[in-house]
């Protein structure tokens, strides 16, 4: 799909399922926020993740692995829609970096690369939705030029959350 100085972003394959699950579960705050099940009632299983990936595929979402060029280790993943059902616009649905690789600039590098790629393929804009209470995450996206354009409520397994919808104008 695209690459950056240190990373390759490409489709995941069945051999990446265990790494994908490990990446997801390395972020227990996110799992708790969205699924409501990190160590209390219930749990988010690999089977549930596989179900979610299947649903993603059925709805046109693309799931890409984030791999270090140096050793091909998968350190994260992103999901996007070229044309989301809700408005036929491109959306970045999820960007997760393994906890042990956070704070090393990988999220910034992937985001810059993704936005350059989106611009190069002719997308007019990229949209995202962020849980409003996650002020640091909202600030992260604003640092790239994403601007709020709407708010909406969404039901997660963990309950209702208010989302800030933001968009980036490709140049």
């Amino acid at each position: 799909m695209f690459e950056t100085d240190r990373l390759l972003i490409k489709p995941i394959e069945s051999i990446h399922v265990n790494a994908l699950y490990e990446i997801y579960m390395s972020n227990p705050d996110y799992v708790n926020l969205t699924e409501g099940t990190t160590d209390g009632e219930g749990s988010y299983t690999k089977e549930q993740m596989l179900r979610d990936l299947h649903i993603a595929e059925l709805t046109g979402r693309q799931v890409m692995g984030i791999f270090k060029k140096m050793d091909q280790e998968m350190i994260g993943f992103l999901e996007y829609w070229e044309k989301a059902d809700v408005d036929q616009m491109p959306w970045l649905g999820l960007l997760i970096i393994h906890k042990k690789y956070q704070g090393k600039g990988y999220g910034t590098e992937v985001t810059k690369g993704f936005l350059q790629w989106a611009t190069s393929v002719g997308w007019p804009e990229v949209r995202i939705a962020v849980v409003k209470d996650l002020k640091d995450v909202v600030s992260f996206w604003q640092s790239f030029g994403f601007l709020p354009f709407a708010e909406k409520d969404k039901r997660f397994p963990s309950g209702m959350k208010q989302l800030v919808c933001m968009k980036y104008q490709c140049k």
Side-chain angles (χ1 to χ4, degrees):
M1 181 176 160
F2 69 91
E3 62 182 79
T4 67
D5 289 342
R6 300 181 292 170
L7 303 169
L8 293 171
I9 292 72
K10 60 185 182 180
I12 59 168
E13 300 173 16
S14 58
I15 61 169
H16 303 123
V17 168
N18 289 337
L20 185 67
Y21 185 67
E22 181 183 325
I23 291 163
Y24 201 86
M25 297 308 290
S26 77
N27 290 278
D29 292 341
Y30 180 77
V31 175
N32 191 48
L33 179 71
T34 58
E35 303 299 328
T37 56
T38 52
D39 61 357
E41 285 187 44
S43 62
Y44 188 69
T45 65
K46 194 181 300 181
E47 290 73 27
Q48 287 170 304
M49 182 194 73
L50 290 170
R51 176 207 62 208
D52 291 346
L53 286 172
H54 181 68
I55 292 169
E57 182 181 326
L58 293 174
T59 62
R61 223 171 1 179
Q62 303 294 316
V63 181
M64 300 287 153
I66 301 167
F67 300 85
K68 292 192 313 182
K69 281 183 180 178
M70 184 177 67
D71 59 9
Q72 296 296 304
E73 179 184 3
M74 187 172 160
I75 64 164
F77 67 96
L78 64 84
E79 297 179 356
Y80 72 91
W81 290 268
E82 187 170 342
K83 291 185 179 184
D85 288 344
V86 64
D87 59 9
Q88 298 302 300
M89 295 300 293
W91 283 76
L92 179 57
L94 193 56
L95 170 62
I96 295 182
I97 303 293
H98 193 291
K99 190 75 157 178
K100 71 182 178 183
Y101 291 107
Q102 292 176 9
K104 299 179 185 325
Y106 290 116
T108 296
E109 190 172 327
V110 169
T111 300
K112 286 179 180 177
F114 181 80
L115 295 174
Q116 288 171 352
W117 174 81
T119 300
S120 75
V121 297
W123 289 0
E125 64 186 46
V126 176
R127 296 180 175 198
I128 59 170
V130 180
V131 175
K132 187 176 182 178
D133 291 341
L134 300 177
K135 304 290 186 209
D136 56 336
V137 178
V138 172
S139 294
F140 174 81
W141 293 108
Q142 286 176 323
S143 75
F144 294 100
F146 280 85
L147 299 173
F149 70 90
E151 291 187 8
K152 67 179 185 175
D153 291 331
K154 181 178 178 182
R155 179 169 300 284
F156 288 88
S158 62
M160 290 297 287
K161 307 284 184 230
Q162 190 169 36
L163 301 178
V164 177
C165 298
M166 305 173 80
K167 63 183 170 182
Y168 170 87
Q169 297 295 320
C170 296
K171 299 172 178 78

